[in-house]
Amino acid sequence: MAVKQTAGRRDLGEFAPKFAELNDDILFGEVWSREEKLSLRDRSLVTVVALMAQGLTDSSFQYHLITAKQNGVTRSEIAEILTHAAFYAGWPKAWAAFRIAKEVWKEEEDEKGGGLFGLGEPNVAFAQYFVGKSYLKMLTTEGVPVANVTFEPGCRNNWHIHRADRGGGQILLCTSGRGWYQEWGGEARELHPGDVVTIPAGVKHWHGAAKDSWFTHLAIEVPGEKTSNEWLETVTDKQYQILK
């Protein structure tokens, strides 16, 4: 997708029209739009590191961090990128970069806590059935089991089916962040706090976080006879990356 930039003409159109034209039409209109060589995400990463290396942690750096986030760079990824670059660009420059990055990803940092019920512990028992890190806090194991499940950005569980001879299935109550739910053969449904998903027994599906957001839901096991969970194949990067 071509990047449409108007900041040059907006801010400098009258004072420096040629600079504004080059900024909007060449730099952002052509260079940033050559996705056959590098994706927008890749170009964001190159730009952020180049600006940090020069110590240019100003409003333009903040703009490119915001753009990087919009292009799919997660909070954990930008932290690792700036940490790695610090050894080559310099520690003071990294400190300056992190101060701005924390503000850009502040919403994600606030949402990391796992919503109303807290983050819980790393979901190690089921880690083999997830892409990325998830966290689990069981709210009750008696009667109707209820779990508070939190996904880091980009995390999702495998395709799976809730089995039961009678009844069964699962209900998801979304409490924080942004996520996805998809049934086999259907379109993915974007999820937000307050959304409810009813999953009948026997339906193949997956759910997890969006690329740029933590996501938390309550998972309520619907009572049934001879209930079980059948874990299947992973949701591939190709299937997942088409989601916005």
Side-chain angles (χ1 to χ4, degrees):
M1 179 186 295
V3 175
K4 181 66 175 178
Q5 176 65 272
T6 60
R9 289 184 172 87
R10 182 193 67 216
D11 297 339
L12 293 172
E14 294 184 5
F15 187 81
K18 189 61 180 180
F19 180 90
E21 175 190 341
L22 293 173
N23 181 83
D24 294 353
D25 299 343
I26 303 301
L27 174 58
F28 287 96
E30 294 185 19
V31 175
W32 272 82
S33 298
R34 294 168 58 227
E35 291 191 64
E36 72 278 2
K37 301 297 182 182
L38 290 174
S39 68
L40 289 175
R41 182 181 185 278
D42 293 336
R43 293 184 188 279
S44 284
L45 294 179
V46 171
T47 304
V48 165
V49 172
L51 292 175
M52 172 187 157
Q54 298 177 74
L56 298 177
T57 48
D58 55 5
S59 60
S60 65
F61 183 72
Q62 182 181 37
Y63 166 81
H64 282 291
L65 284 177
I66 293 171
T67 301
K69 182 179 179 183
Q70 293 171 342
N71 288 337
V73 178
T74 67
R75 176 181 177 274
S76 58
E77 287 175 330
I78 197 65
E80 182 62 26
I81 289 162
L82 297 181
T83 299
H84 183 83
F87 287 91
Y88 297 89
W91 221 250
K93 293 176 181 177
W95 268 106
F98 271 121
R99 289 189 182 97
I100 300 176
K102 282 189 68 177
E103 289 301 312
V104 172
W105 273 268
K106 186 177 187 302
E107 182 179 348
E108 281 187 18
E109 187 172 1
D110 292 342
E111 291 177 350
K112 184 180 176 181
L116 179 64
F117 298 98
L119 188 62
E121 300 297 327
N123 191 11
V124 293
F126 293 89
Q128 61 183 313
Y129 306 121
F130 285 70
V131 175
K133 293 181 180 179
S134 65
Y135 300 82
L136 179 66
K137 184 174 184 179
M138 291 302 302
L139 304 184
T140 176
T141 57
E142 299 179 2
V144 178
V146 179
N148 191 61
V149 186
T150 299
F151 304 77
E152 72 172 0
C155 176
R156 66 272 189 189
N157 51 31
N158 291 3
W159 291 97
H160 58 286
I161 300 173
H162 301 293
R163 299 290 189 185
D165 286 353
R166 183 177 180 182
Q170 190 178 62
I171 298 173
L172 306 180
L173 305 180
C174 306
T175 60
S176 70
R178 186 170 72 92
W180 294 99
Y181 169 79
Q182 185 175 21
E183 296 181 358
W184 186 259
E187 295 292 325
R189 172 186 170 188
E190 188 172 346
L191 300 177
H192 300 275
D195 287 341
V196 178
V197 181
T198 300
I199 309 167
V203 174
K204 184 176 178 179
H205 66 284
W206 70 270
H207 38 103
K211 290 178 283 189
D212 59 352
S213 176
W214 287 77
F215 177 62
T216 300
H217 65 56
L218 299 182
I220 302 172
E221 301 301 318
V222 178
E225 296 178 2
K226 294 184 179 180
T227 60
S228 63
N229 206 35
E230 181 182 0
W231 291 101
L232 303 168
E233 70 271 25
T234 62
V235 178
T236 67
D237 288 342
K238 184 177 180 180
Q239 291 171 318
Y240 181 77
Q241 291 302 326
I242 64 173
L243 305 176
K244 300 298 184 182

